[in-house]
């Protein structure tokens, strides 16, 4: 059966489980057909200039104990850090100088950093014309409210897997509680991002279909999928990596099924295969996250693995060019002016 019907159903908001399962597994010519439609939808939705954002990984302390992540609290082999607000502000200045419109503060789930974040948000807003994106984990509503009132614009909280039992097994915490955080963030006016991990141990195709359907149902403002990367010093360290092709197919499905969201092109795609992020843009992604964390901290922020691929501005711009796309205008102007990267 041709995949054209499956793509049409998805584009019209009534995909079937079987259709999604088929689209998840396409390769070769059919995959190109899927990606072409994704690019068409991105263009139609005005999503072609690639948005850049500058991430600073401000702390690698974490309360959680997720089996896939080396920052999990029981990992005693990890040297922990929390950056100072002065250092963070210096780096935010670099992000702004490069014409990157979004300052992205990311950390493990580290409530001890909240007071610092609350001081930083108004300071960043006062000194720079930047949007502020946070990825700090689960918090009480009052904390989310405070960050929003201080000027934070958007927040990423990935659901990781749509199965509550699987989520509990690998994180020892509750998926409904996490989804409730996402709901609250949205109510408080944040633009919200979410997404899933592709190829987690014990995940089958039917679960991946559920993951896709959950993301489509949530209608987030941005959404991504990342291939599972086996991370040292975790219970999953010797498990096989997630599939690049399946992850790319999910990005295309999100683009066709949701049309307008920003779709980040995660660095794990490049880690799996050189050129993986060019494929991500070809599959419908339109965001590149440039890493501004100083190298001495970068090596301790083991989000995917110790040897993760760290995206610099030059790599991001070259990847965008190789996909025949352009960066958003402020970054383009700054890079043409030869500003420091
Ligand atoms: N493989 C893939 N994705 C991962 N993440 C963290 N560790 C891994 C890993 N080993 C993703 C999760 C998390 C986001 C910040 O990074 O989706 O929410």
């Amino acid at each position: 059966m041709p995949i054209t019907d499956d793509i049409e159903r998805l584009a019209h908001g009534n995909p079937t489980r079987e259709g999604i399962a088929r689209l998840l597994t396409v390769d070769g010519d059919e995959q190109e057909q899927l990606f072409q439609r994704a690019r068409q939808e991105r263009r139609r939705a005005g999503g072609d200039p690639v948005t850049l954002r500058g991430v600073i990984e401000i702390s690698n302390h974490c309360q959680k104990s997720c089996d896939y992540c080396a920052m999990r609290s029981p990992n005693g082999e990890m040297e922990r850090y929390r950056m100072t607000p002065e250092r963070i502000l210096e780096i935010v200045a670099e992000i702004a100088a490069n014409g990157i419109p979004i300052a992205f503060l990311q950390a493990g789930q580290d409530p001890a950093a909240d007071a610092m974040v609350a001081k930083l948000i108004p300071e960043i807003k006062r000194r720079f014309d930047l949007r502020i994106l946070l990825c700090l984990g689960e918090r009480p509503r009052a904390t989310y409210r405070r960050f929003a009132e201080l000027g934070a614009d958007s927040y990423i909280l990935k659901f990781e897997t749509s199965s509550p039992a699987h989520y509990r097994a690998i994180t020892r915490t509750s998926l409904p509680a996490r989804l409730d955080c996402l709901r609250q963030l949205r109510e408080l006016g944040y633009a919200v991002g979410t997404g899933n991990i592709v190829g987690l141990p014990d995940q089958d195709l039917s679960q991946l279909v559920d993951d896709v359907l959950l993301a489509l149902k949530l209608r987030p403002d941005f959404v991504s999928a990342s291939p599972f990367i086996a991370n040292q010093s975790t219970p999953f360290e010797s498990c096989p990596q997630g599939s690049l092709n399946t992850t790319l197919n999910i990005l295309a499905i999100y683009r066709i099924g949701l049309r307008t969201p920003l779709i980040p092109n995660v660095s794990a795609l490049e880690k799996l295969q050189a050129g993986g992020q060019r494929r991500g843009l070809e599959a419908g992604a339109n965001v590149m996250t440039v890493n501004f964390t100083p190298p001495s901290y970068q090596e301790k922020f083991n989000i995917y693995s110790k040897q993760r691929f760290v995206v610099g501005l030059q790599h991001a711009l070259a990847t965008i060019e190789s996909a025949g796309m352009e960066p958003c205008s402020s970054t383009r102007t700054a890079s043409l002016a030869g500003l420091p990267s």
Side-chain angles (χ1 to χ4, degrees), residues 72-124:
R72 62 204 308 274
S73 60
N75 183 6
E77 285 167 40
M78 167 99 76
E79 199 188 314
R80 305 285 170 168
Y81 71 87
R82 205 172 279 125
M83 289 174 64
T84 64
E86 295 74 23
R87 187 80 185 93
I88 295 169
L89 282 170
E90 279 171 21
I91 303 169
V92 173
E94 260 180 74
I95 293 173
N98 280 289
I100 294 178
I102 303 168
F104 175 8
L105 306 183
Q106 183 166 30
Q109 187 161 304
D110 178 20
D114 287 353
M116 173 175 76
V117 172
K119 280 203 200 109
L120 280 168
I121 295 170
E123 197 56 22
I124 294 173

Side-chain angles (χ1 to χ4, degrees), residues 68-69 106 135 158 160 178 197 226-229 231 303-304:
Y68 49 83
C69 184
Q106 183 166 30
C135 180
K158 299 194 177 183
E160 325 289 12
R178 193 167 176 86
I197 304 180
S226 167
F228 165 70
I229 305 285
N231 203 333
I303 187 174
Y304 295 125

Side-chain angles (χ1 to χ4, degrees), residues 257-312:
L258 292 166
R259 307 223 165 144
T260 52
L262 289 173
I263 299 190
N265 192 14
V266 299
S267 65
L269 296 174
E270 194 73 25
K271 154 106 190 138
L272 278 190
Q273 190 180 303
Q277 285 190 304
R278 177 178 51 77
R279 291 295 283 153
L281 294 177
E282 286 167 358
N286 62 349
V287 179
M288 296 283 298
T289 304
V290 179
N291 198 308
F292 282 82
T293 311
S296 59
Y297 296 115
Q298 251 170 32
E299 61 200 37
K300 300 186 187 105
F301 197 86
N302 292 340
I303 187 174
Y304 295 125
S305 92
K306 274 189 193 138
Q307 297 83 27
R308 70 182 166 135
F309 185 86
V310 176
V311 176

